[in-house]
Amino acid sequence: MAKRKFKAESQKLLDMVINSIYSQREVFLRELISNASDAIDKIYYKALTDDSLTFDQSSYYIKLIPNKDKRTLTVIDTGIGMTKEELENNLGVIAKSGSHTFKSENEIKDGHDIIGQFGVGFYAAFMVADKVTVLTKSIDSEEGYKWVSQGSDGYTITPIEREEVGTEIILEIKENEDEENYDEFLDEFKLKQIVKKYSDFIRYPIKMDVTESKLKEGTEDEYEDVIEEQTLNTMVPIWKKNKSELTDEDYQNFYQEKHYGFDQPLRHIHINVDGTVRYNAILFIPEQAPFNYYSREYEKGLELYSNGVLIMEKCADLLPDYFSFVKGMVDSEDLSLNISREMLQHDRQLKIIAKNIHKKIKQQLLSLLRDDREKYETFFKAFGQQIKFGVYSDFGQHKEELQDLLLFYSSKEKKLVTLEEYVSHMPEDQKYIYYASGDSNERIEKLPQTEIVADKGYEILYFTDEIDEFAIKMLMKYQEKEFRSVSSGDLGIEEDNKEEEKEETESHNELFKAMKEVLGDKVKDVRASKRLKSHPVVLSADGEISLEMEKIINAMPDDQQIKADKVLEINVDHSIFKALEAAQGNDQDKLELYTNLLYNQALLIEGLPIEDPVAFTNDMSKIMV
Ligand SMILES: Nc1ncnc2c1ncn2[C@@H]1O[C@H](COP(=O)(O)OP(=O)(O)OP(=O)(O)O)[C@@H](O)[C@H]1O
C-alpha cells in the first residue's frame, strides 16, 4: 500500500508557532538577528570554496531601524540573501530550516557556528507584527524579491529591483492593546536592551542610529538631539578571548557590565573545555553577599548561552545550592536546545558541565584559602554559612566535599582556622576536636564549661553561627577525630581520676537526689562536675540535643519545641557546695532556695531564658536580707 504523507493545517501550525513556542515576545528580535548572523556566516563559508569571493569581516553588519511614525522596525543584514526558490522553501515552509541543511552540507568551523536549526524562529516576528515584508537578493541571483505576509493568510513573492546582496525585513508593529505594549519595540532604549540581553555576542556589529542629547558646541547649557550610528553589541565575548590577553581589570569590567554585583569579585574562574561537551565559562566568586542572599527571594544560577546567544538568564541546574553565590556564564555549542531555545531537550550535557564546574569552583576556593587567606576570610564571612548549610543539607551527602572549606574561630590561635589546621595542632594525647557554642566569641570565652579543656591546653573551636553545631553533628568526624562539645558528658580527659570521682559522686548522691527533687523535671540529673574549676555551677546536656540546639530550634517561627536533657553540674570543690551540704537535712527551705538560684544562674550563663524571673529576683532578695 502506498504510504501517504501527513498533511498539516498550515494556518493552525503557524498560529501555534506564533503563540505557543516563546514565553516572551521580545525574543523575536533575537531570532531575526540570529538569522542575519547566520546569513553573514554563510558568505564566510562560501568564500572558503569560492575564489572569486573574499570575506572581509569588517564589511558585514546588521542594522536595526525603528520608525515610530510609520510604526515599522526594519532589520537589515548584508548576508547571503535568498533566491526565489529559497524564499519559497525557507519562509514558505514552516519548520524548514535552510540553515540546518547548510550546516549539514558544510563542515562547520570553530567561531562560525550556524545558529538556526528548527525552521521556526522567523515566524516569531508575527508575535509583534501584523505584516512582515522581506526584501532580499541572493549572492547567487541577479534579481531581488519581495516576500510579504500577514501571517495566517499565506504570502506573496514578487520580483523587485535591488542592487545590494542581503536581506531587509520590515515589521509593521502591532497597535497597542489593553495589556500589551507593542510601542516598546519601536523604542531605541528598549531595542538596545534586548540586543544587549540576547545578542550581545553575535560576532557581527548590530548597528542602530541612536538619538542622544548632547551639549551644543560653543554653549555651556544648551543641549541638542544628535543622531549617531552606534554598535549595540560587544561582539567578541570575553570567554572566547585568549586568557593570556585578559587582565584582571577586563574580568572586573565584565562583572560590572553584566550587573553580577556591585562589589569587586574576589576571584574569577575562566574555563575553556574541549572535551566530550565543549564549553566556555567565566565564573566569579563575589566579595559580598547580595542583600537577599540568605532569603527565599534569592535566585541562584548562571547565564547560559548557546553559541553566544542567551538561552537562560539563570540556569539553576549549573550550580549546587552550597555554591549558589557564584555568578557568571556558560557558553556551549553542544547543548541540545528545544524549539523555543528557552529549555534544553535533555540535560546530559548540562550535567557534565555542572559537575565540571563544581570541581573548578572548589579548586579555586581551596587555592584562595591557600594563597590569599585574607581574601578567603572575606569570602567566608559572606558565604561561610552557605558552605555550612551545604555540609548539613541533603543528609550530609556533600560533607566530604566541603569540609576543607570550613573555618572556625580558635580559642588558642585567636583567629579562624581550618579543621586541618586544628588537627595538625592537636597534642598526641588529645582524643577529640573540641567545640563550644554561644552567641559570640567573647561570651564563649567566659563559659565555665571551657575551663577544663582550655586548662589542658587544648584548642577549642567557637561556634557562633546557628548552623555550626548542626553541620558538625552531620560531619561527626574529621580525619578520624570525633567532634566533642565542651558541654558533653565525656570529654575524654581526666581518665586518671575516674575512680576518685566515682567515689565522690556516690558520697554526694544523697544531696544531688534532694536537689533533683527540688528541680523536678526541669533537669534530668544533678551531678558533680568534672569540668569546673572556679565556677560553682554549669548546665550540660545528655544525649544528642545540646543546649544550643534547644535554643535555636525553639526560636524558630514554627511551633516545634524541643527540650535538651539538662544536667545541673555542681563544682564539689567550690565553697558553695559546702553551703549546700550544710543546708541538706537541716534547712529544707535553704536547700530549695540555693538549688533554684544555682539552676537559674546556670540558665543565665547558657543564655537560656529563666522560666520565672520574678521568683528568681525574689530568691535573690531573700539571701540579701
Ligand atoms: N536574514 C536571512 N537571510 C538569509 N536567509 C534567511 C534569513 N532569515 C531566514 N532565512 C532562511 O530562512 C530559514 C528559516 O528561518 P527560521 O528563522 O524560521 O529558522 P532557522 O533560523 O533555520 O531555525 P530556528 O527556528 O532554530 O531559528 C533559515 O534557515 C534561513 O535559511
Side-chain angles (χ1 to χ4, degrees):
M1 207 193 295
K3 263 204 183 140
R4 302 179 64 120
K5 289 221 164 161
F6 285 113
K7 282 189 186 154
E9 184 73 64
S10 55
Q11 206 168 316
K12 275 206 181 132
L13 196 59
L14 187 64
D15 202 50
M16 261 158 55
V17 170
I18 298 167
N19 297 309
S20 319
I21 293 185
Y22 305 100
S23 63
Q24 300 209 30
R25 289 215 154 83
E26 62 188 23
V27 298
F28 83 91
L29 193 58
R30 175 189 74 183
E31 294 301 319
L32 295 184
I33 289 174
S34 298
N35 284 349
S37 167
D38 283 350
I40 301 175
D41 271 340
K42 286 174 194 164
I43 300 195
Y44 164 83
Y45 282 108
K46 203 169 163 56
L48 293 179
T49 51
D50 185 342
D51 291 343
S52 65
L53 264 177
T54 45
F55 185 81
D56 171 14
Q57 174 124 3
S58 61
S59 44
Y60 296 97
Y61 62 87
I62 299 159
K63 183 153 186 177
L64 308 183
I65 307 174
N67 186 324
K68 282 189 177 155
D69 299 332
K70 292 189 183 157
R71 274 195 92 71
T72 57
L73 172 64
T74 305
V75 181
I76 299 175
D77 71 66
T78 55
I80 198 157
M82 281 174 273
T83 60
K84 185 175 182 219
E85 203 188 359
E86 281 167 340
L87 269 176
E88 265 168 12
N89 282 335
N90 297 330
L91 300 189
V93 184
I94 297 168
K96 173 100 175 40
S97 170
S99 294
H100 184 72
T101 316
F102 186 92
K103 203 157 37 176
S104 38
E105 283 168 1
N106 288 272
E107 193 195 327
I108 294 306
K109 295 267 183 326
D110 202 24
H112 287 268
D113 305 288
I114 300 286
I115 304 162
Q117 51 176 318
F118 299 111
V120 298
F122 170 79
Y123 306 100
F126 289 104
M127 291 195 292
V128 300
D130 291 320
K131 185 173 170 191
V132 179
T133 304
V134 180
L135 308 175
T136 186
K137 183 177 165 195
S138 162
I139 199 164
D140 296 321
S141 163
E142 289 298 314
E143 270 200 312
Y145 292 93
K146 177 168 156 184
W147 179 102
V148 185
S149 171
Q150 286 178 311
S152 46
D153 66 341
Y155 62 90
T156 57
I157 298 179
T158 42
I160 51 161
E161 288 283 321
R162 189 177 160 94
E163 285 278 303
E164 56 291 354
V165 169
T167 303
E168 195 169 325
I169 298 175
I170 306 154
L171 311 183
E172 292 181 26
I173 300 293
K174 291 183 181 180
E175 291 294 339
N176 283 346
E177 284 163 19
D178 284 350
E179 300 206 342
E180 303 294 347
N181 172 17
Y182 293 101
D183 283 357
E184 59 180 3
F185 303 120
L186 297 165
D187 178 63
E188 284 174 11
F189 185 75
K190 179 70 185 176
L191 292 169
K192 258 182 170 180
Q193 257 186 350
I194 304 177
V195 169
K196 266 282 177 213
K197 182 168 168 188
Y198 297 100
S199 311
D200 200 26
F201 305 111
I202 289 291
R203 54 192 158 266
Y204 305 105
I206 304 168
K207 300 179 182 181
M208 186 167 73
D209 290 339
V210 178
T211 315
E212 286 204 340
S213 178
K214 290 205 166 164
L215 199 62
K216 220 174 182 173
E217 223 174 290
T219 70
E220 282 192 359
D221 52 5
E222 273 185 58
Y223 287 83
E224 60 182 347
D225 279 350
V226 179
I227 298 173
E228 255 178 16
E229 186 179 73
Q230 286 183 3
T231 297
L232 310 181
N233 55 332
T234 311
M235 289 189 280
V236 184
I238 176 172
W239 61 87
K240 288 251 168 109
K241 286 187 186 159
N242 208 326
K243 280 185 217 175
S244 58
E245 285 169 22
L246 293 163
T247 62
D248 281 352
E249 212 183 328
D250 291 326
Y251 290 104
Q252 266 164 26
N253 289 343
F254 182 70
Y255 184 84
Q256 253 104 49
E257 270 169 31
K258 283 275 169 195
H259 304 295
Y260 289 145
F262 298 108
D263 53 347
Q264 294 280 341
L266 290 170
R267 269 262 160 126
H268 65 257
I269 311 169
H270 189 158
I271 313 171
N272 303 110
V273 173
D274 217 357
T276 25
V277 178
R278 288 165 297 172
Y279 77 94
N280 299 299
I282 295 191
L283 312 176
F284 293 96
I285 297 168
E287 183 184 33
Q288 285 165 14
F291 72 96
N292 63 353
Y293 184 64
Y294 289 104
S295 77
R296 268 166 213 254
E297 275 100 70
Y298 181 79
E299 244 185 289
K300 67 166 183 174
L302 299 175
E303 284 180 303
L304 184 63
Y305 290 82
S306 163
N307 275 324
V309 179
L310 183 74
I311 304 303
M312 239 183 264
E313 274 186 282
K314 288 214 162 139
C315 180
D317 291 345
L318 284 168
L319 290 177
D321 283 346
Y322 49 86
F323 289 153
S324 60
F325 46 83
V326 174
K327 301 277 180 198
M329 50 65 51
V330 170
D331 180 36
S332 173
E333 48 206 274
D334 292 338
L335 299 172
S336 51
L337 303 175
N338 82 346
I339 198 164
S340 68
R341 290 179 214 283
E342 287 168 19
M343 273 183 286
L344 304 178
Q345 294 278 57
H346 43 81
D347 59 359
R348 193 182 59 85
Q349 305 100 326
L350 206 65
K351 279 198 175 129
I352 297 175
I353 298 175
K355 205 168 149 204
N356 224 298
I357 281 179
H358 301 176
K359 242 196 260 161
K360 301 268 183 197
I361 298 172
K362 186 178 162 198
Q363 276 168 7
Q364 279 300 320
L365 288 172
L366 284 175
S367 104
L368 192 66
L369 175 64
R370 216 176 28 239
D371 309 335
D372 196 339
R373 185 68 170 237
E374 205 178 310
K375 268 195 183 169
Y376 187 80
E377 288 188 14
T378 307
F379 154 76
F380 200 76
K381 207 167 138 212
F383 303 108
Q385 280 203 48
Q386 192 63 16
I387 302 282
K388 293 172 194 171
F389 277 119
V391 170
Y392 174 72
S393 57
D394 296 334
F395 306 100
Q397 238 185 76
H398 321 287
K399 61 183 183 184
E400 256 129 63
E401 195 181 340
L402 300 173
Q403 59 186 4
D404 286 317
L405 297 173
L406 295 171
L407 288 181
F408 295 105
Y409 184 84
S410 148
S411 61
K412 278 180 86 177
E413 302 290 314
K414 304 280 179 226
K415 60 176 190 186
L416 295 169
V417 295
T418 62
L419 294 176
E420 194 182 15
E421 285 159 355
Y422 181 100
V423 171
S424 72
H425 301 155
M426 277 170 79
E428 236 170 66
D429 63 341
Q430 186 181 337
K431 268 175 53 191
Y432 303 122
I433 300 175
Y434 295 104
Y435 66 84
S437 306
D439 294 342
S440 65
N441 293 343
E442 295 71 31
R443 271 189 91 152
I444 298 176
E445 202 137 61
K446 291 186 190 135
L447 282 180
Q449 295 92 314
T450 59
E451 276 188 324
I452 213 94
V453 181
D455 245 47
K456 205 57 191 152
Y458 298 158
E459 192 170 6
I460 303 170
L461 298 175
Y462 288 2
F463 287 0
T464 49
D465 274 343
E466 292 189 347
I467 183 71
D468 287 344
E469 212 172 342
F470 293 88
I472 283 312
K473 286 240 150 62
M474 195 55 89
L475 203 54
M476 287 187 296
K477 286 179 189 175
Y478 179 80
Q479 290 186 7
E480 295 309 310
K481 305 278 183 204
E482 272 179 51
F483 290 92
R484 197 49 57 106
S485 160
V486 293
S487 306
S488 81
D490 171 21
L491 287 173
I493 308 177
E494 294 183 327
E495 299 279 291
D496 322 335
N497 304 333
K498 238 184 180 149
E499 274 313 298
E500 205 181 300
E501 263 166 31
K502 210 170 153 225
E503 266 171 42
E504 214 164 31
T505 315
E506 271 164 19
S507 73
H508 304 311
N509 261 356
E510 215 132 292
L511 170 60
F512 293 150
K513 225 169 113 193
M515 292 174 78
K516 160 82 179 99
E517 262 165 41
V518 173
L519 295 171
D521 59 7
K522 287 182 198 155
V523 295
K524 189 191 154 210
D525 205 1
V526 180
R527 282 184 208 145
S529 180
K530 295 184 217 167
R531 76 190 91 235
L532 292 176
K533 287 196 70 189
S534 57
H535 288 264
V537 68
V538 75
L539 268 182
S540 64
D542 272 359
E544 277 304 294
I545 303 164
S546 72
L547 298 171
E548 206 52 33
M549 289 162 107
E550 173 185 309
K551 242 192 286 177
I552 294 162
I553 293 178
N554 292 349
M556 284 180 182
D558 52 13
D559 283 337
Q560 204 185 344
Q561 293 287 309
I562 57 153
K563 253 187 150 180
D565 285 333
K566 297 191 185 71
V567 175
L568 185 68
E569 295 189 13
I570 309 288
N571 183 352
V572 293
D573 295 327
H574 199 280
S575 42
I576 282 246
F577 187 67
K578 308 267 175 319
L580 284 166
E581 276 183 315
Q584 188 202 1
N586 298 324
D587 190 341
Q588 181 61 20
D589 284 352
K590 206 175 224 177
L591 183 71
E592 284 180 20
L593 178 70
Y594 287 1
T595 304
N596 281 324
L597 270 173
L598 285 172
Y599 171 68
N600 283 328
Q601 280 179 25
L603 284 177
L604 278 177
I605 293 172
E606 278 306 319
L608 286 163
I610 290 185
E611 288 136 51
D612 188 347
V614 178
F616 175 63
T617 46
N618 284 345
D619 284 350
M620 293 280 280
S621 311
K622 258 190 226 165
I623 56 164
M624 286 184 202
V625 288

